[in-house]
């Protein structure tokens, strides 16, 4: 998918007029393509005019946006994403005592995403990994914003914090939230 996204977002010509087609099977799809090639209208063709591209903003979420196996496929398929996660792992593991990569891979015995002091650093690392991947595909943000630990990820992506400083902030924050759990709510 990364190749498809890069081609569509960065390298293909962005024509003013666009068309999308719907086809239930190979024959129907080929019939629609033949009609388009002949400049004939067809009921399964939707035409539209492209709007100018706006600025890109990376928006990073807070806790609650996690899911089991998040990042697992990207770690296996994208060298850029895997490298960014490895860098986050190197910054986080001395502070947490657990392996981010093991958590994201779902290794047996790995720390659990059900724990606040695991999920927050893991989500932070996802923002760093995804940003590296998007940038490698030519998608560069004009602004970066975030909520909760997403704010810390945004600060790294924007260049306001080093990865190591951000790791310390995220780990300290998540450990404080774990310590006060059960005595109140945020």
């Amino acid at each position: 998918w990364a190749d498809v996204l890069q081609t569509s977002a960065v390298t293909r010509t962005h024509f003013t007029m666009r068309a999308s087609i719907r086809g239930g099977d190979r024959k129907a799809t080929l019939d629609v393509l033949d009609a388009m090639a002949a400049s004939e209208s067809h009921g399964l063709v939707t035409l539209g005019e492209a709007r100018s591209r706006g600025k890109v903003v990376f928006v990073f979420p807070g806790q609650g946006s996690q899911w089991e196996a998040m990042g697992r496929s990207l770690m296996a398929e994208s060298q850029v994403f895997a490298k960014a996660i490895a860098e986050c792992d190197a910054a986080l593991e001395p502070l947490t005592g657990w392996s981010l990569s093991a958590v994201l891979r779902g290794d047996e015995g790995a720390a659990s995403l059900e724990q606040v002091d695991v999920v927050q650093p893991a989500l932070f690392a996802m923002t760093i990994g995804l940003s590296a991947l998007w940038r490698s595909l030519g998608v560069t943000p004009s602004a970066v914003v975030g909520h909760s630990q997403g704010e810390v990820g945004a600060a790294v992506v924007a260049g306001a914090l080093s990865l190591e400083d951000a790791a310390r902030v995220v780990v300290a924050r998540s450990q404080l939230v774990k310590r006060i759990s059960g005595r109140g709510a945020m």
Side-chain angles (χ1 to χ4, degrees):
W1 285 106
D3 291 341
V4 172
L5 291 174
Q6 180 178 17
T7 299
S8 0
V10 179
T11 60
R12 76 173 169 92
T13 303
H14 294 278
F15 297 108
T16 303
M17 294 302 295
R18 307 281 173 90
S20 65
I21 63 168
R22 298 178 311 277
D25 58 31
R26 179 177 164 74
K27 183 180 180 336
T29 302
L30 291 173
D31 289 345
V32 173
L33 289 172
D34 287 341
M36 285 180 63
S39 297
E40 297 170 1
S41 63
H42 194 287
L44 295 177
V45 175
T46 303
L47 297 175
E49 190 170 336
R51 297 187 183 122
S52 84
R53 297 173 115 193
K55 293 183 178 182
V56 174
V57 177
F58 292 174
V59 180
F60 301 130
Q63 188 174 331
S65 59
Q66 71 274 5
W67 67 90
E68 196 68 33
M70 67 179 181
R72 189 174 299 165
S73 295
L74 283 174
M75 282 179 32
E77 297 169 12
S78 168
Q79 290 179 346
V80 171
F81 183 82
K83 180 178 183 264
I85 292 299
E87 291 169 356
C88 289
D89 205 348
L92 291 166
E93 190 166 9
L95 304 170
T96 63
W98 47 263
S99 166
L100 169 68
S101 297
V103 168
L104 295 179
R105 282 190 311 262
D107 292 355
E108 189 172 328
S112 171
L113 285 175
E114 298 295 319
Q115 299 170 239
V116 70
D117 59 331
V118 175
V119 72
Q120 289 190 4
L123 285 170
F124 158 77
M126 288 294 295
T127 66
I128 304 304
L130 288 170
S131 295
L133 176 60
W134 295 330
R135 283 184 163 158
S136 78
L137 297 172
V139 181
T140 304
S142 297
V144 186
V145 296
H147 168 71
S148 188
Q149 75 277 353
E151 294 173 291
V152 184
V156 172
V157 172
L161 275 179
S162 71
L163 181 61
E164 292 73 21
D165 287 343
R168 283 193 290 278
V169 170
V170 167
V171 170
R173 180 186 187 283
S174 67
Q175 290 172 348
L176 286 171
V177 171
K178 181 179 180 177
R179 196 170 351 157
I180 64 169
S181 292
R183 296 188 224 158
M186 286 197 311

PDB file of all heavy atoms in Angstrom, residues 103-137:
ATOM      1  N   VAL A 103       6.166  -5.352  22.428  1.00  0.00           N
ATOM      2  CA  VAL A 103       4.757  -5.001  22.667  1.00  0.00           C
ATOM      3  C   VAL A 103       4.019  -4.896  21.334  1.00  0.00           C
ATOM      4  O   VAL A 103       2.946  -5.485  21.146  1.00  0.00           O
ATOM      5  CB  VAL A 103       4.631  -3.675  23.456  1.00  0.00           C
ATOM      6  CG1 VAL A 103       3.195  -3.170  23.455  1.00  0.00           C
ATOM      7  CG2 VAL A 103       5.144  -3.850  24.871  1.00  0.00           C
ATOM      8  N   LEU A 104       4.583  -4.158  20.384  1.00  0.00           N
ATOM      9  CA  LEU A 104       3.910  -3.951  19.100  1.00  0.00           C
ATOM     10  C   LEU A 104       3.823  -5.242  18.285  1.00  0.00           C
ATOM     11  O   LEU A 104       2.849  -5.452  17.561  1.00  0.00           O
ATOM     12  CB  LEU A 104       4.609  -2.853  18.297  1.00  0.00           C
ATOM     13  CG  LEU A 104       4.545  -1.450  18.909  1.00  0.00           C
ATOM     14  CD1 LEU A 104       5.284  -0.447  18.035  1.00  0.00           C
ATOM     15  CD2 LEU A 104       3.110  -1.007  19.145  1.00  0.00           C
ATOM     16  N   ARG A 105       4.841  -6.098  18.398  1.00  0.00           N
ATOM     17  CA  ARG A 105       4.787  -7.386  17.693  1.00  0.00           C
ATOM     18  C   ARG A 105       3.823  -8.348  18.371  1.00  0.00           C
ATOM     19  O   ARG A 105       3.393  -9.325  17.765  1.00  0.00           O
ATOM     20  CB  ARG A 105       6.173  -8.030  17.643  1.00  0.00           C
ATOM     21  CG  ARG A 105       7.104  -7.453  16.616  1.00  0.00           C
ATOM     22  CD  ARG A 105       8.351  -8.320  16.467  1.00  0.00           C
ATOM     23  NE  ARG A 105       8.970  -8.655  17.738  1.00  0.00           N
ATOM     24  CZ  ARG A 105      10.011  -8.021  18.268  1.00  0.00           C
ATOM     25  NH1 ARG A 105      10.572  -7.011  17.634  1.00  0.00           N
ATOM     26  NH2 ARG A 105      10.508  -8.400  19.438  1.00  0.00           N
ATOM     27  N   GLY A 106       3.515  -8.124  19.630  1.00  0.00           N
ATOM     28  CA  GLY A 106       2.650  -9.028  20.379  1.00  0.00           C
ATOM     29  C   GLY A 106       3.392 -10.262  20.864  1.00  0.00           C
ATOM     30  O   GLY A 106       2.794 -11.329  21.014  1.00  0.00           O
ATOM     31  N   ASP A 107       4.689 -10.105  21.137  1.00  0.00           N
ATOM     32  CA  ASP A 107       5.493 -11.235  21.615  1.00  0.00           C
ATOM     33  C   ASP A 107       4.923 -11.780  22.921  1.00  0.00           C
ATOM     34  O   ASP A 107       4.440 -11.016  23.773  1.00  0.00           O
ATOM     35  CB  ASP A 107       6.941 -10.809  21.862  1.00  0.00           C
ATOM     36  CG  ASP A 107       7.686 -10.452  20.583  1.00  0.00           C
ATOM     37  OD1 ASP A 107       7.123 -10.619  19.473  1.00  0.00           O
ATOM     38  OD2 ASP A 107       8.845 -10.005  20.703  1.00  0.00           O
ATOM     39  N   GLU A 108       5.020 -13.098  23.076  1.00  0.00           N
ATOM     40  CA  GLU A 108       4.582 -13.728  24.314  1.00  0.00           C
ATOM     41  C   GLU A 108       5.403 -13.168  25.475  1.00  0.00           C
ATOM     42  O   GLU A 108       6.625 -13.025  25.381  1.00  0.00           O
ATOM     43  CB  GLU A 108       4.766 -15.240  24.228  1.00  0.00           C
ATOM     44  CG  GLU A 108       4.146 -15.973  25.392  1.00  0.00           C
ATOM     45  CD  GLU A 108       4.154 -17.477  25.202  1.00  0.00           C
ATOM     46  OE1 GLU A 108       4.059 -17.938  24.052  1.00  0.00           O
ATOM     47  OE2 GLU A 108       4.260 -18.171  26.219  1.00  0.00           O
ATOM     48  N   GLY A 109       4.723 -12.802  26.555  1.00  0.00           N
ATOM     49  CA  GLY A 109       5.389 -12.266  27.730  1.00  0.00           C
ATOM     50  C   GLY A 109       5.678 -10.772  27.659  1.00  0.00           C
ATOM     51  O   GLY A 109       6.207 -10.204  28.617  1.00  0.00           O
ATOM     52  N   ALA A 110       5.349 -10.127  26.538  1.00  0.00           N
ATOM     53  CA  ALA A 110       5.582  -8.682  26.400  1.00  0.00           C
ATOM     54  C   ALA A 110       4.625  -7.920  27.305  1.00  0.00           C
ATOM     55  O   ALA A 110       3.557  -8.416  27.670  1.00  0.00           O
ATOM     56  CB  ALA A 110       5.396  -8.248  24.951  1.00  0.00           C
ATOM     57  N   ALA A 111       5.007  -6.715  27.648  1.00  0.00           N
ATOM     58  CA  ALA A 111       4.121  -5.844  28.434  1.00  0.00           C
ATOM     59  C   ALA A 111       2.797  -5.672  27.685  1.00  0.00           C
ATOM     60  O   ALA A 111       2.726  -5.803  26.461  1.00  0.00           O
ATOM     61  CB  ALA A 111       4.797  -4.498  28.658  1.00  0.00           C
ATOM     62  N   SER A 112       1.742  -5.369  28.416  1.00  0.00           N
ATOM     63  CA  SER A 112       0.395  -5.307  27.850  1.00  0.00           C
ATOM     64  C   SER A 112      -0.045  -3.875  27.533  1.00  0.00           C
ATOM     65  O   SER A 112       0.144  -2.966  28.345  1.00  0.00           O
ATOM     66  CB  SER A 112      -0.603  -5.912  28.841  1.00  0.00           C
ATOM     67  OG  SER A 112      -1.931  -5.677  28.418  1.00  0.00           O
ATOM     68  N   LEU A 113      -0.671  -3.717  26.381  1.00  0.00           N
ATOM     69  CA  LEU A 113      -1.250  -2.421  26.012  1.00  0.00           C
ATOM     70  C   LEU A 113      -2.421  -2.039  26.919  1.00  0.00           C
ATOM     71  O   LEU A 113      -2.911  -0.923  26.850  1.00  0.00           O
ATOM     72  CB  LEU A 113      -1.728  -2.437  24.557  1.00  0.00           C
ATOM     73  CG  LEU A 113      -0.651  -2.352  23.493  1.00  0.00           C
ATOM     74  CD1 LEU A 113      -1.255  -2.511  22.100  1.00  0.00           C
ATOM     75  CD2 LEU A 113       0.113  -1.042  23.582  1.00  0.00           C
ATOM     76  N   GLU A 114      -2.855  -2.956  27.765  1.00  0.00           N
ATOM     77  CA  GLU A 114      -3.930  -2.661  28.719  1.00  0.00           C
ATOM     78  C   GLU A 114      -3.426  -1.791  29.874  1.00  0.00           C
ATOM     79  O   GLU A 114      -4.216  -1.221  30.604  1.00  0.00           O
ATOM     80  CB  GLU A 114      -4.523  -3.962  29.273  1.00  0.00           C
ATOM     81  CG  GLU A 114      -5.157  -4.846  28.221  1.00  0.00           C
ATOM     82  CD  GLU A 114      -6.369  -4.209  27.571  1.00  0.00           C
ATOM     83  OE1 GLU A 114      -7.180  -3.574  28.275  1.00  0.00           O
ATOM     84  OE2 GLU A 114      -6.499  -4.328  26.335  1.00  0.00           O
ATOM     85  N   GLN A 115      -2.115  -1.690  30.023  1.00  0.00           N
ATOM     86  CA  GLN A 115      -1.522  -0.906  31.112  1.00  0.00           C
ATOM     87  C   GLN A 115      -1.256   0.517  30.612  1.00  0.00           C
ATOM     88  O   GLN A 115      -0.674   0.724  29.559  1.00  0.00           O
ATOM     89  CB  GLN A 115      -0.210  -1.544  31.566  1.00  0.00           C
ATOM     90  CG  GLN A 115      -0.362  -2.946  32.109  1.00  0.00           C
ATOM     91  CD  GLN A 115       0.991  -3.598  32.296  1.00  0.00           C
ATOM     92  OE1 GLN A 115       1.257  -4.629  31.703  1.00  0.00           O
ATOM     93  NE2 GLN A 115       1.851  -2.993  33.106  1.00  0.00           N
ATOM     94  N   VAL A 116      -1.653   1.497  31.396  1.00  0.00           N
ATOM     95  CA  VAL A 116      -1.500   2.901  31.008  1.00  0.00           C
ATOM     96  C   VAL A 116      -0.046   3.280  30.805  1.00  0.00           C
ATOM     97  O   VAL A 116       0.285   4.075  29.920  1.00  0.00           O
ATOM     98  CB  VAL A 116      -2.200   3.846  32.014  1.00  0.00           C
ATOM     99  CG1 VAL A 116      -1.466   3.878  33.349  1.00  0.00           C
ATOM    100  CG2 VAL A 116      -2.323   5.244  31.447  1.00  0.00           C
ATOM    101  N   ASP A 117       0.843   2.692  31.612  1.00  0.00           N
ATOM    102  CA  ASP A 117       2.256   3.030  31.491  1.00  0.00           C
ATOM    103  C   ASP A 117       2.930   2.317  30.310  1.00  0.00           C
ATOM    104  O   ASP A 117       4.108   2.546  30.037  1.00  0.00           O
ATOM    105  CB  ASP A 117       3.012   2.777  32.795  1.00  0.00           C
ATOM    106  CG  ASP A 117       2.936   1.342  33.261  1.00  0.00           C
ATOM    107  OD1 ASP A 117       1.925   0.657  32.965  1.00  0.00           O
ATOM    108  OD2 ASP A 117       3.876   0.889  33.931  1.00  0.00           O
ATOM    109  N   VAL A 118       2.186   1.500  29.595  1.00  0.00           N
ATOM    110  CA  VAL A 118       2.660   0.861  28.369  1.00  0.00           C
ATOM    111  C   VAL A 118       1.993   1.505  27.160  1.00  0.00           C
ATOM    112  O   VAL A 118       2.649   1.855  26.180  1.00  0.00           O
ATOM    113  CB  VAL A 118       2.398  -0.668  28.383  1.00  0.00           C
ATOM    114  CG1 VAL A 118       2.783  -1.304  27.056  1.00  0.00           C
ATOM    115  CG2 VAL A 118       3.144  -1.322  29.544  1.00  0.00           C
ATOM    116  N   VAL A 119       0.689   1.683  27.243  1.00  0.00           N
ATOM    117  CA  VAL A 119      -0.047   2.177  26.073  1.00  0.00           C
ATOM    118  C   VAL A 119       0.354   3.610  25.706  1.00  0.00           C
ATOM    119  O   VAL A 119       0.458   3.936  24.516  1.00  0.00           O
ATOM    120  CB  VAL A 119      -1.575   2.047  26.260  1.00  0.00           C
ATOM    121  CG1 VAL A 119      -2.125   3.054  27.259  1.00  0.00           C
ATOM    122  CG2 VAL A 119      -2.290   2.191  24.918  1.00  0.00           C
ATOM    123  N   GLN A 120       0.585   4.457  26.688  1.00  0.00           N
ATOM    124  CA  GLN A 120       0.930   5.842  26.345  1.00  0.00           C
ATOM    125  C   GLN A 120       2.280   5.943  25.634  1.00  0.00           C
ATOM    126  O   GLN A 120       2.361   6.593  24.584  1.00  0.00           O
ATOM    127  CB  GLN A 120       0.852   6.741  27.576  1.00  0.00           C
ATOM    128  CG  GLN A 120      -0.579   6.963  28.012  1.00  0.00           C
ATOM    129  CD  GLN A 120      -0.733   8.033  29.071  1.00  0.00           C
ATOM    130  OE1 GLN A 120       0.215   8.691  29.468  1.00  0.00           O
ATOM    131  NE2 GLN A 120      -1.961   8.221  29.519  1.00  0.00           N
ATOM    132  N   PRO A 121       3.346   5.310  26.123  1.00  0.00           N
ATOM    133  CA  PRO A 121       4.586   5.336  25.352  1.00  0.00           C
ATOM    134  C   PRO A 121       4.451   4.649  23.986  1.00  0.00           C
ATOM    135  O   PRO A 121       5.057   5.091  23.007  1.00  0.00           O
ATOM    136  CB  PRO A 121       5.589   4.593  26.252  1.00  0.00           C
ATOM    137  CG  PRO A 121       5.047   4.775  27.633  1.00  0.00           C
ATOM    138  CD  PRO A 121       3.559   4.749  27.474  1.00  0.00           C
ATOM    139  N   ALA A 122       3.654   3.593  23.907  1.00  0.00           N
ATOM    140  CA  ALA A 122       3.468   2.902  22.624  1.00  0.00           C
ATOM    141  C   ALA A 122       2.763   3.811  21.615  1.00  0.00           C
ATOM    142  O   ALA A 122       3.159   3.878  20.439  1.00  0.00           O
ATOM    143  CB  ALA A 122       2.683   1.606  22.825  1.00  0.00           C
ATOM    144  N   LEU A 123       1.738   4.518  22.053  1.00  0.00           N
ATOM    145  CA  LEU A 123       1.039   5.446  21.151  1.00  0.00           C
ATOM    146  C   LEU A 123       1.955   6.591  20.729  1.00  0.00           C
ATOM    147  O   LEU A 123       1.935   7.018  19.572  1.00  0.00           O
ATOM    148  CB  LEU A 123      -0.227   5.986  21.814  1.00  0.00           C
ATOM    149  CG  LEU A 123      -1.391   5.005  21.871  1.00  0.00           C
ATOM    150  CD1 LEU A 123      -2.500   5.546  22.769  1.00  0.00           C
ATOM    151  CD2 LEU A 123      -1.919   4.698  20.489  1.00  0.00           C
ATOM    152  N   PHE A 124       2.738   7.088  21.657  1.00  0.00           N
ATOM    153  CA  PHE A 124       3.720   8.121  21.345  1.00  0.00           C
ATOM    154  C   PHE A 124       4.653   7.622  20.234  1.00  0.00           C
ATOM    155  O   PHE A 124       4.903   8.321  19.244  1.00  0.00           O
ATOM    156  CB  PHE A 124       4.507   8.477  22.614  1.00  0.00           C
ATOM    157  CG  PHE A 124       5.836   9.114  22.357  1.00  0.00           C
ATOM    158  CD1 PHE A 124       5.924  10.442  21.979  1.00  0.00           C
ATOM    159  CD2 PHE A 124       7.007   8.374  22.495  1.00  0.00           C
ATOM    160  CE1 PHE A 124       7.170  11.029  21.733  1.00  0.00           C
ATOM    161  CE2 PHE A 124       8.242   8.953  22.268  1.00  0.00           C
ATOM    162  CZ  PHE A 124       8.326  10.284  21.876  1.00  0.00           C
ATOM    163  N   ALA A 125       5.167   6.412  20.392  1.00  0.00           N
ATOM    164  CA  ALA A 125       6.076   5.849  19.395  1.00  0.00           C
ATOM    165  C   ALA A 125       5.387   5.684  18.043  1.00  0.00           C
ATOM    166  O   ALA A 125       6.016   5.885  16.992  1.00  0.00           O
ATOM    167  CB  ALA A 125       6.622   4.509  19.884  1.00  0.00           C
ATOM    168  N   MET A 126       4.112   5.336  18.050  1.00  0.00           N
ATOM    169  CA  MET A 126       3.376   5.217  16.779  1.00  0.00           C
ATOM    170  C   MET A 126       3.351   6.558  16.044  1.00  0.00           C
ATOM    171  O   MET A 126       3.500   6.594  14.818  1.00  0.00           O
ATOM    172  CB  MET A 126       1.946   4.723  17.031  1.00  0.00           C
ATOM    173  CG  MET A 126       1.846   3.270  17.442  1.00  0.00           C
ATOM    174  SD  MET A 126       2.364   2.118  16.153  1.00  0.00           S
ATOM    175  CE  MET A 126       1.115   2.424  14.912  1.00  0.00           C
ATOM    176  N   THR A 127       3.191   7.665  16.770  1.00  0.00           N
ATOM    177  CA  THR A 127       3.185   8.972  16.104  1.00  0.00           C
ATOM    178  C   THR A 127       4.526   9.259  15.452  1.00  0.00           C
ATOM    179  O   THR A 127       4.583   9.784  14.344  1.00  0.00           O
ATOM    180  CB  THR A 127       2.838  10.115  17.085  1.00  0.00           C
ATOM    181  OG1 THR A 127       3.864  10.262  18.057  1.00  0.00           O
ATOM    182  CG2 THR A 127       1.504   9.905  17.764  1.00  0.00           C
ATOM    183  N   ILE A 128       5.596   8.859  16.118  1.00  0.00           N
ATOM    184  CA  ILE A 128       6.940   9.081  15.578  1.00  0.00           C
ATOM    185  C   ILE A 128       7.163   8.194  14.356  1.00  0.00           C
ATOM    186  O   ILE A 128       7.645   8.653  13.308  1.00  0.00           O
ATOM    187  CB  ILE A 128       8.016   8.803  16.657  1.00  0.00           C
ATOM    188  CG1 ILE A 128       7.795   9.653  17.915  1.00  0.00           C
ATOM    189  CG2 ILE A 128       9.417   8.993  16.080  1.00  0.00           C
ATOM    190  CD1 ILE A 128       7.744  11.151  17.686  1.00  0.00           C
ATOM    191  N   GLY A 129       6.785   6.928  14.463  1.00  0.00           N
ATOM    192  CA  GLY A 129       6.953   5.997  13.349  1.00  0.00           C
ATOM    193  C   GLY A 129       6.123   6.367  12.137  1.00  0.00           C
ATOM    194  O   GLY A 129       6.610   6.342  10.995  1.00  0.00           O
ATOM    195  N   LEU A 130       4.856   6.714  12.366  1.00  0.00           N
ATOM    196  CA  LEU A 130       3.985   7.089  11.240  1.00  0.00           C
ATOM    197  C   LEU A 130       4.470   8.379  10.577  1.00  0.00           C
ATOM    198  O   LEU A 130       4.448   8.495   9.355  1.00  0.00           O
ATOM    199  CB  LEU A 130       2.543   7.229  11.715  1.00  0.00           C
ATOM    200  CG  LEU A 130       1.854   5.906  12.052  1.00  0.00           C
ATOM    201  CD1 LEU A 130       0.523   6.157  12.749  1.00  0.00           C
ATOM    202  CD2 LEU A 130       1.667   5.059  10.797  1.00  0.00           C
ATOM    203  N   SER A 131       4.922   9.330  11.380  1.00  0.00           N
ATOM    204  CA  SER A 131       5.433  10.584  10.809  1.00  0.00           C
ATOM    205  C   SER A 131       6.645  10.322   9.917  1.00  0.00           C
ATOM    206  O   SER A 131       6.764  10.902   8.835  1.00  0.00           O
ATOM    207  CB  SER A 131       5.827  11.563  11.917  1.00  0.00           C
ATOM    208  OG  SER A 131       4.694  11.946  12.637  1.00  0.00           O
ATOM    209  N   ALA A 132       7.540   9.465  10.376  1.00  0.00           N
ATOM    210  CA  ALA A 132       8.716   9.130   9.566  1.00  0.00           C
ATOM    211  C   ALA A 132       8.285   8.470   8.256  1.00  0.00           C
ATOM    212  O   ALA A 132       8.815   8.795   7.182  1.00  0.00           O
ATOM    213  CB  ALA A 132       9.652   8.214  10.355  1.00  0.00           C
ATOM    214  N   LEU A 133       7.322   7.570   8.341  1.00  0.00           N
ATOM    215  CA  LEU A 133       6.827   6.894   7.137  1.00  0.00           C
ATOM    216  C   LEU A 133       6.183   7.889   6.178  1.00  0.00           C
ATOM    217  O   LEU A 133       6.494   7.910   4.984  1.00  0.00           O
ATOM    218  CB  LEU A 133       5.831   5.799   7.521  1.00  0.00           C
ATOM    219  CG  LEU A 133       5.153   5.070   6.361  1.00  0.00           C
ATOM    220  CD1 LEU A 133       6.179   4.379   5.466  1.00  0.00           C
ATOM    221  CD2 LEU A 133       4.140   4.068   6.899  1.00  0.00           C
ATOM    222  N   TRP A 134       5.292   8.737   6.691  1.00  0.00           N
ATOM    223  CA  TRP A 134       4.615   9.717   5.826  1.00  0.00           C
ATOM    224  C   TRP A 134       5.622  10.641   5.161  1.00  0.00           C
ATOM    225  O   TRP A 134       5.514  10.931   3.967  1.00  0.00           O
ATOM    226  CB  TRP A 134       3.595  10.526   6.628  1.00  0.00           C
ATOM    227  CG  TRP A 134       2.452   9.710   7.162  1.00  0.00           C
ATOM    228  CD1 TRP A 134       1.911   8.582   6.615  1.00  0.00           C
ATOM    229  CD2 TRP A 134       1.727   9.956   8.356  1.00  0.00           C
ATOM    230  NE1 TRP A 134       0.899   8.122   7.414  1.00  0.00           N
ATOM    231  CE2 TRP A 134       0.754   8.938   8.476  1.00  0.00           C
ATOM    232  CE3 TRP A 134       1.806  10.933   9.341  1.00  0.00           C
ATOM    233  CZ2 TRP A 134      -0.143   8.880   9.544  1.00  0.00           C
ATOM    234  CZ3 TRP A 134       0.912  10.876  10.402  1.00  0.00           C
ATOM    235  CH2 TRP A 134      -0.053   9.858  10.493  1.00  0.00           C
ATOM    236  N   ARG A 135       6.599  11.105   5.929  1.00  0.00           N
ATOM    237  CA  ARG A 135       7.614  11.993   5.349  1.00  0.00           C
ATOM    238  C   ARG A 135       8.418  11.278   4.280  1.00  0.00           C
ATOM    239  O   ARG A 135       8.786  11.876   3.272  1.00  0.00           O
ATOM    240  CB  ARG A 135       8.514  12.552   6.439  1.00  0.00           C
ATOM    241  CG  ARG A 135       7.841  13.662   7.218  1.00  0.00           C
ATOM    242  CD  ARG A 135       8.772  14.267   8.238  1.00  0.00           C
ATOM    243  NE  ARG A 135       8.247  15.554   8.656  1.00  0.00           N
ATOM    244  CZ  ARG A 135       8.551  16.139   9.788  1.00  0.00           C
ATOM    245  NH1 ARG A 135       9.395  15.563  10.628  1.00  0.00           N
ATOM    246  NH2 ARG A 135       8.032  17.308  10.103  1.00  0.00           N
ATOM    247  N   SER A 136       8.712   9.993   4.480  1.00  0.00           N
ATOM    248  CA  SER A 136       9.468   9.238   3.472  1.00  0.00           C
ATOM    249  C   SER A 136       8.681   9.099   2.178  1.00  0.00           C
ATOM    250  O   SER A 136       9.257   8.892   1.116  1.00  0.00           O
ATOM    251  CB  SER A 136       9.845   7.858   4.010  1.00  0.00           C
ATOM    252  OG  SER A 136       8.746   6.956   3.972  1.00  0.00           O
ATOM    253  N   LEU A 137       7.372   9.236   2.268  1.00  0.00           N
ATOM    254  CA  LEU A 137       6.504   9.162   1.087  1.00  0.00           C
ATOM    255  C   LEU A 137       6.237  10.541   0.492  1.00  0.00           C
ATOM    256  O   LEU A 137       5.436  10.684  -0.423  1.00  0.00           O
ATOM    257  CB  LEU A 137       5.180   8.480   1.451  1.00  0.00           C
ATOM    258  CG  LEU A 137       5.304   7.024   1.914  1.00  0.00           C
ATOM    259  CD1 LEU A 137       3.972   6.509   2.422  1.00  0.00           C
ATOM    260  CD2 LEU A 137       5.847   6.150   0.805  1.00  0.00           C
TER     261      LEU A 137
END
